[in-house]
Amino acid sequence: METILILKLRVGLIIEKEDAMKTISLTILILAGALFSSAQFPRDQKIIAAEYFIGNDPGEGNGTQIDTGTPLVDKTISLTNVNLPIGQTIFLRFKSSNGTWSAPRGIKRQEYFTNSDAILVYGEYFINNDPGVGHGNEINFQSGIVNLNGLNLQRGDKIYFRIQDSFNRWSPARPVQFNFKHIDHAEYKLKYISGNYSDSLEMNLSPFNPSSCIYTANLNNVDTSNTGYVYVRYQSFDKFLSPWAIDSLNVGIDEKFDNPYKFSCYPNPCVNVANLTFELSAPSNICININSLSGFIIRINKYGKLIKGKHVFQIDVSDIPNGVYYCQLETDYGNKTIKLIVQK
């Protein structure tokens, strides 16, 4: 029995250039893990160690150690071959670079739905209140992926799923809570082409919306001809301070390159290989980066100077964990960013 635990807290940054020399519209996208977030370490700390235990707490540093690799502010942890009996709880905790351990967070293994010699024939979901077995909203799971659109969810709502097999056995209703960070304030700073930075300035955020996890803020009258990058970070109501998210503001020097890229990915979601297509209106040096939603660069692919026209490149993503990423095309005339979804 393989047990996989995924712990994430991510912040993304999308930049839409309404006026190349004046206005920059920033959309801050906050995604919080459905199970639980990473430990709320003090400001500017990174995760340097992790451990888990089952049953009695052996004390900080005395659990089963987990390899966390390079110190980062967020982590994806996979545990395999963990013998976790039904009804017992596995606890995890993390250590920050200031030497502080987080409180242990637990996940209880519930009774699972067995399908030996049977096939799944029906699935349903409901929100908050159980209408009774067989009376939920039907879902089609035959493709192996369930997409539910247009749900009227508000913060704190729970959406429940259950399935039925060909022996008329029903699984328990399993909940996923719709939750996200309520942003207290956000700030930004600019990095100029000279290499200097501006002071950190407060941003005026859009009002809190209980049905959305998207906040927007506009920066007006920013001279992008002198600005290379913008950095944004937010602080949630529980005083967790995010890392700086970064995006390039190199919008180019020639107005004839309004939309030179036609940058796209197929398939998206992708499994092992992402086919990236773009079209250049003039020769340019090309670099394609894959970044996490929190702004960390996962992969850099440099292709040198390419000729005008359409280009297609394949990028291996087989070693990248499932999730949503930003794929950024860098050219001599500006950058283009699209969302890349890895789903194995």
Side-chain angles (χ1 to χ4, degrees):
M1 178 66 184
E2 181 176 330
T3 301
I4 298 178
L5 308 176
I6 300 178
L7 321 175
K8 282 191 174 183
L9 177 63
R10 303 173 289 185
V11 56
L13 174 63
I14 304 171
I15 293 187
E16 301 172 356
K17 301 175 180 65
E18 299 173 358
D19 182 327
M21 298 300 293
K22 295 296 183 183
T23 302
I24 301 163
S25 176
L26 302 180
T27 300
I28 302 173
L29 172 62
I30 312 303
L31 300 175
L35 292 180
F36 48 87
S37 308
S38 56
Q40 305 295 292
F41 293 131
R43 181 171 176 168
D44 298 327
Q45 297 300 309
K46 297 180 180 180
I47 296 173
I48 61 172
E51 65 180 17
Y52 73 89
F53 62 89
I54 299 171
N56 296 327
D57 188 345
E60 294 178 350
N62 297 320
T64 302
Q65 300 301 305
I66 303 171
D67 182 13
T68 59
T70 304
L72 295 173
V73 296
D74 59 18
K75 291 287 184 181
T76 298
I77 302 297
S78 296
L79 302 180
T80 59
N81 300 322
V82 176
N83 183 19
L84 183 63
I86 295 174
Q88 288 202 18
T89 300
I90 184 171
F91 294 89
L92 295 94
R93 60 180 158 219
F94 298 86
K95 186 178 182 180
S96 65
S97 49
N98 68 354
T100 302
W101 283 92
S102 70
R105 304 291 182 91
I107 299 176
K108 183 177 180 180
R109 181 181 174 189
Q110 305 290 347
E111 289 191 22
Y112 53 86
F113 180 50
T114 57
N115 284 316
S116 178
D117 300 321
I119 60 174
L120 302 182
V121 296
Y122 181 81
E124 64 180 20
Y125 74 91
F126 59 91
I127 300 172
N128 294 332
N129 297 317
D130 191 345
V133 173
H135 297 289
N137 300 289
E138 184 176 0
I139 55 176
N140 181 5
F141 53 82
Q142 299 304 320
S143 65
I145 300 174
V146 175
N147 293 313
L148 301 178
N149 300 313
L151 298 180
N152 184 23
L153 293 174
Q154 293 195 354
R155 181 180 179 183
D157 282 347
K158 289 185 178 181
I159 181 170
Y160 291 80
F161 299 88
R162 61 181 162 220
I163 52 178
Q164 180 189 29
D165 72 359
S166 54
F167 291 153
N168 198 32
R169 297 179 297 184
W170 285 88
S171 72
R174 301 297 177 83
V176 176
Q177 187 168 22
F178 177 69
N179 215 343
F180 50 88
K181 291 294 181 183
H182 183 173
I183 302 307
D184 184 59
H185 80 270
E187 58 187 12
Y188 75 95
K189 64 180 179 180
L190 302 174
K191 182 179 181 181
Y192 302 115
I193 295 177
S194 63
N196 296 324
Y197 291 86
S198 71
D199 294 332
S200 296
L201 300 173
E202 188 82 10
M203 301 174 67
N204 293 321
L205 292 174
S206 58
F208 168 72
N209 184 345
S211 298
S212 174
C213 58
I214 296 179
Y215 292 78
T216 60
N218 292 323
L219 306 182
N220 298 316
N221 300 320
V222 175
D223 183 3
T224 57
S225 65
N226 187 42
T227 305
Y229 296 89
V230 61
Y231 293 78
V232 173
R233 67 180 175 184
Y234 72 91
Q235 190 169 43
S236 55
F237 73 101
D238 57 1
K239 304 307 178 184
F240 175 85
L241 191 68
S242 77
W244 288 103
I246 180 175
D247 209 319
S248 171
L249 297 184
N250 181 12
V251 296
I253 57 176
D254 196 332
E255 291 301 323
K256 71 180 180 180
F257 298 108
D258 256 349
N259 184 22
Y261 315 115
K262 298 180 181 178
F263 188 33
S264 62
C265 173
Y266 180 83
N268 199 7
C270 56
V271 181
N272 294 315
V273 176
N275 298 290
L276 302 176
T277 302
F278 55 92
E279 187 170 342
L280 298 178
S281 300
S284 173
N285 290 292
I286 296 298
C287 181
I288 298 178
N289 300 327
I290 298 179
N291 304 325
S292 70
L293 291 182
S294 56
F296 294 104
I297 297 177
I298 297 174
R299 183 158 298 157
I300 299 176
N301 302 276
K302 295 183 178 181
Y303 299 103
K305 194 163 189 176
L306 303 181
I307 63 174
K308 173 183 176 180
K310 184 177 181 179
H311 300 272
V312 179
F313 289 98
Q314 286 189 336
I315 293 184
D316 181 13
V317 296
S318 60
D319 60 338
I320 296 179
N322 288 352
V324 181
Y325 301 88
Y326 287 136
C327 187
Q328 184 179 60
L329 171 68
E330 295 183 356
T331 77
D332 295 337
Y333 313 107
N335 302 335
K336 179 68 174 180
T337 300
I338 61 175
K339 281 188 179 180
L340 173 66
I341 301 173
V342 178
Q343 187 169 309
K344 301 180 178 65

